[in-house]
Amino acid sequence: MAVQDKLYHVLGAKQFSRSELEELFAASRAMEDVVRAGGDRRHAGRIMTTLFFEASTRTRLSFESAMNRLGGSVIGTENAAQFSSAIKGETLEDTIRIITGYSDLIVMRHTEIGAAKRAAAVSGVPVLNAGDGAGEHPTQALLDAYTIQKECGGLDGLSIAMVGDLAYGRTVHSLSYILANFKDVKIYYISPENVPIPPSVKHYMDDKGVRYEETTDLNAVAGSVDVLYQTRIQKERFPSPEEYDKAAGQYIVDAELMSRMRRDAIVLHPLPRAGEIAEEVDADPRAAYFRQAQNGLYIRMALIDRALQAE
Ligand code: NCD
């Protein structure tokens, strides 16, 4: 099928302008009311495919819930590496060409950087990137930014610490690109030495004039930020167990660290956590990560709505 330029693909976070973000946040707010009212039927008869080549709980289920809340239906495979024809040697491009004939929208998570762009190049329906290897995770970054806006009242002027695996963690790449749309943002990139924020992200931030600092010292920074964005060390992406061991366990958000943070600061995490936020933190009102995961539903409803309307 011919590629249509007008399709609303979400491939990376750089594609969003400030005004588009503001529109999306307003649409997500409206979706909160839709959910409270029990959902609606605006996309009845439309079909969304979820094609996941990597593990997922929140991203896939919130997309599926979002489509159901809007009256649509979902088909898909949650273990596409084994249960789709990829295992028989089918190319990603052929798989996408086929799915284009079966559904109105594709949500895809893949192991390779750039896979969503490859899919979009041959797709006749919108493609939403639900994570491409160590590349990007734009819909996560959108829900992260939406959460910050809700919790902190806006994004201009904020200081944000991104902590943990900044090399393989795709969410921090996309979140950096989103934050570059806002004024006077200051980012602290805090990581073990072997998993720093990639040069490509720093170049982009330099181009956009965003202030950032790289450091390994979380304790020194914790007391001055509005948002502490903790991440999991991406064990599955390390070249060797030794490299993983070098990065693991260095930054734990616990009650002691929380005591250094400001009263009005928040803690975010894309989840799943693997020990880097102690459970004792959950009861602290500044622990916003479960509210953040809930916001994923509203953002994804707004994205699905936008993609299906543009078609
Ligand atoms: C993240 C991901 O898949 O990149 N999870 C998510 O989508 N919420 C983060 C992670 O796996 O650590």
Side-chain angles (χ1 to χ4, degrees):
M1 190 177 285
V3 179
Q4 297 165 35
D5 288 340
K6 63 181 170 52
L7 293 178
Y8 182 76
H9 299 299
V10 175
L11 305 179
K14 291 178 195 166
Q15 76 184 64
F16 291 96
S17 67
R18 181 171 182 140
S19 64
E20 281 172 306
L21 292 171
E22 281 165 2
E23 262 172 50
L24 188 65
F25 294 164
S28 302
R29 276 273 181 200
M31 290 302 180
E32 299 199 18
D33 296 332
V34 171
V35 171
R36 264 191 292 275
D40 64 28
R41 309 282 307 152
R42 75 181 74 178
H43 294 306
R46 312 305 293 282
I47 299 174
M48 179 180 89
T49 300
T50 48
L51 181 65
F52 276 59
F53 292 86
E54 276 189 351
S56 171
T57 300
R58 274 151 293 275
T59 305
R60 186 174 61 82
L61 294 180
S62 64
F63 262 117
E64 294 190 358
S65 175
M67 186 59 169
N68 281 292
R69 291 277 191 228
L70 296 172
S73 355
V74 181
I75 58 174
T77 171
E78 61 181 289
N79 188 352
Q82 281 165 36
F83 296 153
S84 77
S85 287
I87 201 155
K88 301 182 187 170
E90 185 167 60
T91 63
L92 175 64
E93 281 78 1
D94 276 0
T95 302
I96 296 294
R97 285 185 185 104
I98 298 304
I99 296 173
T100 282
Y102 299 161
S103 64
D104 304 295
L105 177 65
I106 298 171
V107 178
M108 186 180 82
R109 170 169 288 185
H110 201 274
T111 52
E112 286 168 28
I113 295 176
K117 284 201 177 85
R118 276 174 55 204
V122 296
S123 181
V125 299
V127 173
L128 306 184
N129 179 7
D132 59 333
E136 281 214 53
H137 193 350
T139 71
Q140 176 70 43
L142 292 168
L143 78 89
D144 297 339
Y146 179 56
T147 303
I148 295 170
Q149 197 219 37
K150 276 174 73 176
E151 300 273 337
C152 304
L155 289 113
D156 292 322
L158 293 188
S159 58
I160 293 152
M162 299 190 193
V163 185
D165 185 346
L166 306 183
Y168 300 119
R170 52 196 170 197
T171 71
V172 291
H173 308 158
S174 294
L175 182 56
S176 296
Y177 301 146
I178 295 286
L179 290 174
N181 284 288
F182 296 91
K183 291 194 196 87
D184 298 325
V185 167
K186 169 83 191 260
I187 302 178
Y188 295 92
Y189 291 121
I190 306 172
S191 72
E193 268 161 16
N194 62 340
V195 283
I197 194 79
S200 55
V201 176
K202 290 196 283 181
H203 292 153
Y204 186 83
M205 303 313 265
D206 288 336
D207 277 356
K208 298 282 169 184
V210 181
R211 290 174 305 147
Y212 64 84
E213 249 175 64
E214 288 182 276
T215 168
T216 53
D217 191 351
L218 173 59
N219 283 334
V221 170
S224 64
V225 295
D226 300 287
V227 179
L228 194 162
Y229 188 96
Q230 174 66 305
T231 65
R232 179 177 68 87
I233 305 297
Q234 308 279 298
K235 189 173 189 175
E236 67 277 24
R237 303 201 197 281
F238 279 75
S240 70
E242 294 73 36
E243 281 299 310
Y244 170 73
D245 288 341
K246 277 192 220 161
Q250 291 192 28
Y251 303 109
I252 313 280
V253 177
D254 55 13
E256 204 274 318
L257 189 90
M258 294 300 286
S259 72
R260 295 170 192 265
M261 289 185 60
R262 294 195 344 225
R263 295 309 311 162
D264 60 349
I266 56 167
V267 178
L268 299 181
H269 191 308
L271 301 175
R273 62 178 156 182
E276 63 277 351
I277 300 182
E279 282 186 24
E280 66 192 14
V281 175
D282 296 357
D284 190 307
R286 296 171 294 175
Y289 31 90
F290 294 120
R291 299 193 289 276
Q292 175 187 6
Q294 179 64 38
N295 287 332
L297 175 66
Y298 312 126
I299 279 283
R300 288 171 175 136
M301 287 172 77
L303 287 171
I304 289 170
D305 194 43
R306 175 82 175 72
L308 291 179
Q309 275 172 19
E311 222 188 324

PDB file of all heavy atoms in Angstrom, residues 50-84:
ATOM      1  N   THR A  50      -1.598  -4.177  18.446  1.00  0.00           N
ATOM      2  CA  THR A  50      -0.391  -4.014  19.268  1.00  0.00           C
ATOM      3  C   THR A  50       0.586  -5.118  18.873  1.00  0.00           C
ATOM      4  O   THR A  50       0.269  -6.301  18.948  1.00  0.00           O
ATOM      5  CB  THR A  50      -0.705  -4.102  20.771  1.00  0.00           C
ATOM      6  OG1 THR A  50      -1.519  -5.238  21.028  1.00  0.00           O
ATOM      7  CG2 THR A  50      -1.439  -2.859  21.257  1.00  0.00           C
ATOM      8  N   LEU A  51       1.762  -4.688  18.438  1.00  0.00           N
ATOM      9  CA  LEU A  51       2.793  -5.613  17.949  1.00  0.00           C
ATOM     10  C   LEU A  51       4.026  -5.407  18.822  1.00  0.00           C
ATOM     11  O   LEU A  51       4.770  -4.441  18.647  1.00  0.00           O
ATOM     12  CB  LEU A  51       3.090  -5.270  16.473  1.00  0.00           C
ATOM     13  CG  LEU A  51       4.108  -6.118  15.732  1.00  0.00           C
ATOM     14  CD1 LEU A  51       3.606  -7.556  15.587  1.00  0.00           C
ATOM     15  CD2 LEU A  51       4.385  -5.521  14.349  1.00  0.00           C
ATOM     16  N   PHE A  52       4.215  -6.284  19.787  1.00  0.00           N
ATOM     17  CA  PHE A  52       5.266  -6.094  20.791  1.00  0.00           C
ATOM     18  C   PHE A  52       6.328  -7.186  20.695  1.00  0.00           C
ATOM     19  O   PHE A  52       6.054  -8.351  20.934  1.00  0.00           O
ATOM     20  CB  PHE A  52       4.653  -6.043  22.203  1.00  0.00           C
ATOM     21  CG  PHE A  52       4.140  -4.670  22.558  1.00  0.00           C
ATOM     22  CD1 PHE A  52       3.164  -4.057  21.785  1.00  0.00           C
ATOM     23  CD2 PHE A  52       4.660  -3.969  23.643  1.00  0.00           C
ATOM     24  CE1 PHE A  52       2.710  -2.776  22.083  1.00  0.00           C
ATOM     25  CE2 PHE A  52       4.216  -2.691  23.962  1.00  0.00           C
ATOM     26  CZ  PHE A  52       3.240  -2.093  23.175  1.00  0.00           C
ATOM     27  N   PHE A  53       7.550  -6.764  20.347  1.00  0.00           N
ATOM     28  CA  PHE A  53       8.688  -7.688  20.249  1.00  0.00           C
ATOM     29  C   PHE A  53       9.510  -7.697  21.542  1.00  0.00           C
ATOM     30  O   PHE A  53      10.531  -8.352  21.607  1.00  0.00           O
ATOM     31  CB  PHE A  53       9.606  -7.277  19.088  1.00  0.00           C
ATOM     32  CG  PHE A  53       8.990  -7.447  17.726  1.00  0.00           C
ATOM     33  CD1 PHE A  53       8.207  -6.449  17.173  1.00  0.00           C
ATOM     34  CD2 PHE A  53       9.197  -8.614  16.994  1.00  0.00           C
ATOM     35  CE1 PHE A  53       7.650  -6.593  15.910  1.00  0.00           C
ATOM     36  CE2 PHE A  53       8.645  -8.772  15.731  1.00  0.00           C
ATOM     37  CZ  PHE A  53       7.861  -7.761  15.188  1.00  0.00           C
ATOM     38  N   GLU A  54       9.094  -6.875  22.509  1.00  0.00           N
ATOM     39  CA  GLU A  54       9.797  -6.819  23.805  1.00  0.00           C
ATOM     40  C   GLU A  54       8.753  -6.810  24.907  1.00  0.00           C
ATOM     41  O   GLU A  54       7.605  -6.419  24.673  1.00  0.00           O
ATOM     42  CB  GLU A  54      10.566  -5.498  23.937  1.00  0.00           C
ATOM     43  CG  GLU A  54      11.915  -5.477  23.316  1.00  0.00           C
ATOM     44  CD  GLU A  54      12.680  -4.200  23.696  1.00  0.00           C
ATOM     45  OE1 GLU A  54      12.092  -3.279  24.289  1.00  0.00           O
ATOM     46  OE2 GLU A  54      13.875  -4.154  23.406  1.00  0.00           O
ATOM     47  N   ALA A  55       9.179  -7.158  26.112  1.00  0.00           N
ATOM     48  CA  ALA A  55       8.279  -7.220  27.260  1.00  0.00           C
ATOM     49  C   ALA A  55       7.636  -5.858  27.544  1.00  0.00           C
ATOM     50  O   ALA A  55       8.234  -4.818  27.284  1.00  0.00           O
ATOM     51  CB  ALA A  55       9.061  -7.666  28.490  1.00  0.00           C
ATOM     52  N   SER A  56       6.420  -5.899  28.064  1.00  0.00           N
ATOM     53  CA  SER A  56       5.709  -4.673  28.422  1.00  0.00           C
ATOM     54  C   SER A  56       4.541  -5.024  29.318  1.00  0.00           C
ATOM     55  O   SER A  56       3.895  -6.057  29.131  1.00  0.00           O
ATOM     56  CB  SER A  56       5.165  -3.999  27.153  1.00  0.00           C
ATOM     57  OG  SER A  56       4.302  -2.929  27.486  1.00  0.00           O
ATOM     58  N   THR A  57       4.273  -4.181  30.293  1.00  0.00           N
ATOM     59  CA  THR A  57       3.029  -4.284  31.059  1.00  0.00           C
ATOM     60  C   THR A  57       2.224  -3.016  30.841  1.00  0.00           C
ATOM     61  O   THR A  57       1.168  -3.024  30.220  1.00  0.00           O
ATOM     62  CB  THR A  57       3.317  -4.469  32.565  1.00  0.00           C
ATOM     63  OG1 THR A  57       4.076  -5.665  32.733  1.00  0.00           O
ATOM     64  CG2 THR A  57       2.023  -4.574  33.362  1.00  0.00           C
ATOM     65  N   ARG A  58       2.758  -1.898  31.349  1.00  0.00           N
ATOM     66  CA  ARG A  58       2.047  -0.626  31.304  1.00  0.00           C
ATOM     67  C   ARG A  58       1.764  -0.143  29.886  1.00  0.00           C
ATOM     68  O   ARG A  58       0.637   0.263  29.571  1.00  0.00           O
ATOM     69  CB  ARG A  58       2.877   0.475  31.995  1.00  0.00           C
ATOM     70  CG  ARG A  58       2.697   0.565  33.473  1.00  0.00           C
ATOM     71  CD  ARG A  58       3.974   1.084  34.092  1.00  0.00           C
ATOM     72  NE  ARG A  58       5.001   0.068  33.914  1.00  0.00           N
ATOM     73  CZ  ARG A  58       5.159  -0.955  34.753  1.00  0.00           C
ATOM     74  NH1 ARG A  58       4.455  -1.044  35.834  1.00  0.00           N
ATOM     75  NH2 ARG A  58       6.066  -1.881  34.513  1.00  0.00           N
ATOM     76  N   THR A  59       2.777  -0.156  29.038  1.00  0.00           N
ATOM     77  CA  THR A  59       2.609   0.478  27.730  1.00  0.00           C
ATOM     78  C   THR A  59       1.544  -0.260  26.916  1.00  0.00           C
ATOM     79  O   THR A  59       0.603   0.345  26.396  1.00  0.00           O
ATOM     80  CB  THR A  59       3.955   0.512  26.972  1.00  0.00           C
ATOM     81  OG1 THR A  59       4.916   1.163  27.804  1.00  0.00           O
ATOM     82  CG2 THR A  59       3.819   1.269  25.667  1.00  0.00           C
ATOM     83  N   ARG A  60       1.669  -1.586  26.842  1.00  0.00           N
ATOM     84  CA  ARG A  60       0.710  -2.328  26.017  1.00  0.00           C
ATOM     85  C   ARG A  60      -0.685  -2.283  26.623  1.00  0.00           C
ATOM     86  O   ARG A  60      -1.670  -2.000  25.937  1.00  0.00           O
ATOM     87  CB  ARG A  60       1.166  -3.782  25.833  1.00  0.00           C
ATOM     88  CG  ARG A  60       0.282  -4.557  24.853  1.00  0.00           C
ATOM     89  CD  ARG A  60       0.839  -5.933  24.567  1.00  0.00           C
ATOM     90  NE  ARG A  60       0.917  -6.755  25.759  1.00  0.00           N
ATOM     91  CZ  ARG A  60      -0.102  -7.446  26.277  1.00  0.00           C
ATOM     92  NH1 ARG A  60      -1.302  -7.410  25.699  1.00  0.00           N
ATOM     93  NH2 ARG A  60       0.066  -8.165  27.366  1.00  0.00           N
ATOM     94  N   LEU A  61      -0.767  -2.529  27.917  1.00  0.00           N
ATOM     95  CA  LEU A  61      -2.106  -2.595  28.521  1.00  0.00           C
ATOM     96  C   LEU A  61      -2.775  -1.227  28.573  1.00  0.00           C
ATOM     97  O   LEU A  61      -3.994  -1.132  28.423  1.00  0.00           O
ATOM     98  CB  LEU A  61      -2.026  -3.241  29.912  1.00  0.00           C
ATOM     99  CG  LEU A  61      -1.617  -4.722  29.895  1.00  0.00           C
ATOM    100  CD1 LEU A  61      -1.572  -5.279  31.308  1.00  0.00           C
ATOM    101  CD2 LEU A  61      -2.549  -5.556  29.029  1.00  0.00           C
ATOM    102  N   SER A  62      -2.010  -0.166  28.764  1.00  0.00           N
ATOM    103  CA  SER A  62      -2.660   1.151  28.772  1.00  0.00           C
ATOM    104  C   SER A  62      -3.102   1.532  27.362  1.00  0.00           C
ATOM    105  O   SER A  62      -4.161   2.130  27.187  1.00  0.00           O
ATOM    106  CB  SER A  62      -1.769   2.229  29.401  1.00  0.00           C
ATOM    107  OG  SER A  62      -0.612   2.425  28.642  1.00  0.00           O
ATOM    108  N   PHE A  63      -2.336   1.171  26.335  1.00  0.00           N
ATOM    109  CA  PHE A  63      -2.794   1.401  24.958  1.00  0.00           C
ATOM    110  C   PHE A  63      -4.066   0.591  24.682  1.00  0.00           C
ATOM    111  O   PHE A  63      -5.013   1.092  24.061  1.00  0.00           O
ATOM    112  CB  PHE A  63      -1.710   1.013  23.947  1.00  0.00           C
ATOM    113  CG  PHE A  63      -0.898   2.179  23.441  1.00  0.00           C
ATOM    114  CD1 PHE A  63       0.459   2.264  23.670  1.00  0.00           C
ATOM    115  CD2 PHE A  63      -1.500   3.199  22.705  1.00  0.00           C
ATOM    116  CE1 PHE A  63       1.210   3.330  23.203  1.00  0.00           C
ATOM    117  CE2 PHE A  63      -0.760   4.273  22.234  1.00  0.00           C
ATOM    118  CZ  PHE A  63       0.606   4.340  22.478  1.00  0.00           C
ATOM    119  N   GLU A  64      -4.081  -0.658  25.129  1.00  0.00           N
ATOM    120  CA  GLU A  64      -5.252  -1.509  24.852  1.00  0.00           C
ATOM    121  C   GLU A  64      -6.473  -0.994  25.612  1.00  0.00           C
ATOM    122  O   GLU A  64      -7.577  -0.920  25.072  1.00  0.00           O
ATOM    123  CB  GLU A  64      -4.928  -2.970  25.192  1.00  0.00           C
ATOM    124  CG  GLU A  64      -3.844  -3.522  24.254  1.00  0.00           C
ATOM    125  CD  GLU A  64      -3.619  -5.011  24.355  1.00  0.00           C
ATOM    126  OE1 GLU A  64      -4.273  -5.672  25.200  1.00  0.00           O
ATOM    127  OE2 GLU A  64      -2.793  -5.531  23.569  1.00  0.00           O
ATOM    128  N   SER A  65      -6.258  -0.625  26.869  1.00  0.00           N
ATOM    129  CA  SER A  65      -7.353  -0.057  27.653  1.00  0.00           C
ATOM    130  C   SER A  65      -7.854   1.230  26.991  1.00  0.00           C
ATOM    131  O   SER A  65      -9.068   1.454  26.871  1.00  0.00           O
ATOM    132  CB  SER A  65      -6.857   0.225  29.078  1.00  0.00           C
ATOM    133  OG  SER A  65      -7.855   0.871  29.812  1.00  0.00           O
ATOM    134  N   ALA A  66      -6.924   2.059  26.524  1.00  0.00           N
ATOM    135  CA  ALA A  66      -7.281   3.337  25.890  1.00  0.00           C
ATOM    136  C   ALA A  66      -8.189   3.102  24.684  1.00  0.00           C
ATOM    137  O   ALA A  66      -9.216   3.769  24.523  1.00  0.00           O
ATOM    138  CB  ALA A  66      -6.011   4.079  25.478  1.00  0.00           C
ATOM    139  N   MET A  67      -7.803   2.140  23.829  1.00  0.00           N
ATOM    140  CA  MET A  67      -8.615   1.869  22.634  1.00  0.00           C
ATOM    141  C   MET A  67      -9.994   1.345  23.038  1.00  0.00           C
ATOM    142  O   MET A  67     -11.018   1.741  22.465  1.00  0.00           O
ATOM    143  CB  MET A  67      -7.884   0.870  21.734  1.00  0.00           C
ATOM    144  CG  MET A  67      -8.556   0.612  20.401  1.00  0.00           C
ATOM    145  SD  MET A  67      -8.749   2.139  19.425  1.00  0.00           S
ATOM    146  CE  MET A  67      -9.250   1.465  17.832  1.00  0.00           C
ATOM    147  N   ASN A  68     -10.035   0.478  24.032  1.00  0.00           N
ATOM    148  CA  ASN A  68     -11.326  -0.038  24.502  1.00  0.00           C
ATOM    149  C   ASN A  68     -12.196   1.066  25.085  1.00  0.00           C
ATOM    150  O   ASN A  68     -13.408   1.099  24.857  1.00  0.00           O
ATOM    151  CB  ASN A  68     -11.112  -1.153  25.529  1.00  0.00           C
ATOM    152  CG  ASN A  68     -10.763  -2.475  24.851  1.00  0.00           C
ATOM    153  OD1 ASN A  68     -11.597  -3.055  24.170  1.00  0.00           O
ATOM    154  ND2 ASN A  68      -9.533  -2.915  24.995  1.00  0.00           N
ATOM    155  N   ARG A  69     -11.587   1.977  25.832  1.00  0.00           N
ATOM    156  CA  ARG A  69     -12.352   3.087  26.417  1.00  0.00           C
ATOM    157  C   ARG A  69     -12.976   3.989  25.359  1.00  0.00           C
ATOM    158  O   ARG A  69     -13.938   4.692  25.627  1.00  0.00           O
ATOM    159  CB  ARG A  69     -11.445   3.954  27.301  1.00  0.00           C
ATOM    160  CG  ARG A  69     -10.980   3.287  28.572  1.00  0.00           C
ATOM    161  CD  ARG A  69     -12.029   3.386  29.658  1.00  0.00           C
ATOM    162  NE  ARG A  69     -11.488   2.973  30.940  1.00  0.00           N
ATOM    163  CZ  ARG A  69     -12.103   2.123  31.769  1.00  0.00           C
ATOM    164  NH1 ARG A  69     -13.272   1.592  31.449  1.00  0.00           N
ATOM    165  NH2 ARG A  69     -11.565   1.821  32.926  1.00  0.00           N
ATOM    166  N   LEU A  70     -12.381   3.986  24.169  1.00  0.00           N
ATOM    167  CA  LEU A  70     -12.898   4.819  23.075  1.00  0.00           C
ATOM    168  C   LEU A  70     -13.779   4.010  22.126  1.00  0.00           C
ATOM    169  O   LEU A  70     -14.110   4.468  21.026  1.00  0.00           O
ATOM    170  CB  LEU A  70     -11.733   5.467  22.315  1.00  0.00           C
ATOM    171  CG  LEU A  70     -10.899   6.447  23.158  1.00  0.00           C
ATOM    172  CD1 LEU A  70      -9.647   6.897  22.400  1.00  0.00           C
ATOM    173  CD2 LEU A  70     -11.728   7.669  23.570  1.00  0.00           C
ATOM    174  N   GLY A  71     -14.146   2.809  22.541  1.00  0.00           N
ATOM    175  CA  GLY A  71     -15.111   2.014  21.774  1.00  0.00           C
ATOM    176  C   GLY A  71     -14.503   1.138  20.691  1.00  0.00           C
ATOM    177  O   GLY A  71     -15.231   0.412  20.005  1.00  0.00           O
ATOM    178  N   GLY A  72     -13.188   1.215  20.490  1.00  0.00           N
ATOM    179  CA  GLY A  72     -12.547   0.426  19.438  1.00  0.00           C
ATOM    180  C   GLY A  72     -12.171  -0.968  19.911  1.00  0.00           C
ATOM    181  O   GLY A  72     -12.387  -1.324  21.068  1.00  0.00           O
ATOM    182  N   SER A  73     -11.623  -1.761  19.015  1.00  0.00           N
ATOM    183  CA  SER A  73     -11.163  -3.096  19.407  1.00  0.00           C
ATOM    184  C   SER A  73      -9.676  -3.253  19.147  1.00  0.00           C
ATOM    185  O   SER A  73      -9.076  -2.479  18.398  1.00  0.00           O
ATOM    186  CB  SER A  73     -11.891  -4.224  18.670  1.00  0.00           C
ATOM    187  OG  SER A  73     -12.897  -3.771  17.861  1.00  0.00           O
ATOM    188  N   VAL A  74      -9.116  -4.286  19.770  1.00  0.00           N
ATOM    189  CA  VAL A  74      -7.674  -4.492  19.743  1.00  0.00           C
ATOM    190  C   VAL A  74      -7.365  -5.907  19.289  1.00  0.00           C
ATOM    191  O   VAL A  74      -7.983  -6.863  19.753  1.00  0.00           O
ATOM    192  CB  VAL A  74      -7.073  -4.286  21.163  1.00  0.00           C
ATOM    193  CG1 VAL A  74      -5.564  -4.467  21.129  1.00  0.00           C
ATOM    194  CG2 VAL A  74      -7.434  -2.908  21.716  1.00  0.00           C
ATOM    195  N   ILE A  75      -6.408  -6.031  18.346  1.00  0.00           N
ATOM    196  CA  ILE A  75      -5.827  -7.332  18.042  1.00  0.00           C
ATOM    197  C   ILE A  75      -4.336  -7.201  18.298  1.00  0.00           C
ATOM    198  O   ILE A  75      -3.825  -6.074  18.382  1.00  0.00           O
ATOM    199  CB  ILE A  75      -6.091  -7.765  16.582  1.00  0.00           C
ATOM    200  CG1 ILE A  75      -5.535  -6.735  15.587  1.00  0.00           C
ATOM    201  CG2 ILE A  75      -7.596  -7.983  16.354  1.00  0.00           C
ATOM    202  CD1 ILE A  75      -5.654  -7.190  14.123  1.00  0.00           C
ATOM    203  N   GLY A  76      -3.632  -8.327  18.424  1.00  0.00           N
ATOM    204  CA  GLY A  76      -2.207  -8.124  18.629  1.00  0.00           C
ATOM    205  C   GLY A  76      -1.467  -9.350  19.092  1.00  0.00           C
ATOM    206  O   GLY A  76      -2.051 -10.402  19.302  1.00  0.00           O
ATOM    207  N   THR A  77      -0.164  -9.146  19.201  1.00  0.00           N
ATOM    208  CA  THR A  77       0.668 -10.200  19.735  1.00  0.00           C
ATOM    209  C   THR A  77       1.655  -9.585  20.714  1.00  0.00           C
ATOM    210  O   THR A  77       2.319  -8.600  20.401  1.00  0.00           O
ATOM    211  CB  THR A  77       1.373 -11.019  18.635  1.00  0.00           C
ATOM    212  OG1 THR A  77       2.309 -11.887  19.235  1.00  0.00           O
ATOM    213  CG2 THR A  77       2.037 -10.156  17.600  1.00  0.00           C
ATOM    214  N   GLU A  78       1.675 -10.151  21.918  1.00  0.00           N
ATOM    215  CA  GLU A  78       2.512  -9.568  22.962  1.00  0.00           C
ATOM    216  C   GLU A  78       3.904 -10.171  22.967  1.00  0.00           C
ATOM    217  O   GLU A  78       4.767  -9.758  23.700  1.00  0.00           O
ATOM    218  CB  GLU A  78       1.855  -9.779  24.335  1.00  0.00           C
ATOM    219  CG  GLU A  78       1.672 -11.222  24.688  1.00  0.00           C
ATOM    220  CD  GLU A  78       1.007 -11.386  26.040  1.00  0.00           C
ATOM    221  OE1 GLU A  78       1.687 -11.099  27.026  1.00  0.00           O
ATOM    222  OE2 GLU A  78      -0.151 -11.787  26.095  1.00  0.00           O
ATOM    223  N   ASN A  79       4.109 -11.194  22.169  1.00  0.00           N
ATOM    224  CA  ASN A  79       5.431 -11.806  22.105  1.00  0.00           C
ATOM    225  C   ASN A  79       5.752 -12.030  20.638  1.00  0.00           C
ATOM    226  O   ASN A  79       5.901 -13.154  20.172  1.00  0.00           O
ATOM    227  CB  ASN A  79       5.424 -13.122  22.895  1.00  0.00           C
ATOM    228  CG  ASN A  79       6.817 -13.706  23.022  1.00  0.00           C
ATOM    229  OD1 ASN A  79       7.763 -13.212  22.398  1.00  0.00           O
ATOM    230  ND2 ASN A  79       6.944 -14.755  23.795  1.00  0.00           N
ATOM    231  N   ALA A  80       5.817 -10.926  19.917  1.00  0.00           N
ATOM    232  CA  ALA A  80       5.890 -10.993  18.457  1.00  0.00           C
ATOM    233  C   ALA A  80       7.166 -11.671  17.969  1.00  0.00           C
ATOM    234  O   ALA A  80       7.198 -12.240  16.881  1.00  0.00           O
ATOM    235  CB  ALA A  80       5.764  -9.596  17.869  1.00  0.00           C
ATOM    236  N   ALA A  81       8.225 -11.637  18.774  1.00  0.00           N
ATOM    237  CA  ALA A  81       9.466 -12.264  18.345  1.00  0.00           C
ATOM    238  C   ALA A  81       9.257 -13.760  18.148  1.00  0.00           C
ATOM    239  O   ALA A  81       9.823 -14.371  17.244  1.00  0.00           O
ATOM    240  CB  ALA A  81      10.558 -12.002  19.359  1.00  0.00           C
ATOM    241  N   GLN A  82       8.415 -14.371  18.991  1.00  0.00           N
ATOM    242  CA  GLN A  82       8.171 -15.810  18.879  1.00  0.00           C
ATOM    243  C   GLN A  82       6.852 -16.157  18.213  1.00  0.00           C
ATOM    244  O   GLN A  82       6.748 -17.153  17.521  1.00  0.00           O
ATOM    245  CB  GLN A  82       8.194 -16.444  20.274  1.00  0.00           C
ATOM    246  CG  GLN A  82       9.609 -16.650  20.774  1.00  0.00           C
ATOM    247  CD  GLN A  82       9.648 -16.933  22.257  1.00  0.00           C
ATOM    248  OE1 GLN A  82       8.770 -17.599  22.786  1.00  0.00           O
ATOM    249  NE2 GLN A  82      10.648 -16.413  22.922  1.00  0.00           N
ATOM    250  N   PHE A  83       5.831 -15.327  18.452  1.00  0.00           N
ATOM    251  CA  PHE A  83       4.491 -15.723  18.008  1.00  0.00           C
ATOM    252  C   PHE A  83       4.022 -15.007  16.748  1.00  0.00           C
ATOM    253  O   PHE A  83       2.904 -15.193  16.315  1.00  0.00           O
ATOM    254  CB  PHE A  83       3.472 -15.502  19.139  1.00  0.00           C
ATOM    255  CG  PHE A  83       3.732 -16.361  20.336  1.00  0.00           C
ATOM    256  CD1 PHE A  83       3.336 -15.950  21.604  1.00  0.00           C
ATOM    257  CD2 PHE A  83       4.362 -17.588  20.223  1.00  0.00           C
ATOM    258  CE1 PHE A  83       3.570 -16.732  22.723  1.00  0.00           C
ATOM    259  CE2 PHE A  83       4.606 -18.385  21.338  1.00  0.00           C
ATOM    260  CZ  PHE A  83       4.212 -17.954  22.594  1.00  0.00           C
ATOM    261  N   SER A  84       4.855 -14.161  16.156  1.00  0.00           N
ATOM    262  CA  SER A  84       4.500 -13.631  14.839  1.00  0.00           C
ATOM    263  C   SER A  84       5.393 -14.345  13.832  1.00  0.00           C
ATOM    264  O   SER A  84       6.292 -15.112  14.205  1.00  0.00           O
ATOM    265  CB  SER A  84       4.734 -12.125  14.780  1.00  0.00           C
ATOM    266  OG  SER A  84       6.112 -11.854  14.637  1.00  0.00           O
TER     267      SER A  84
END
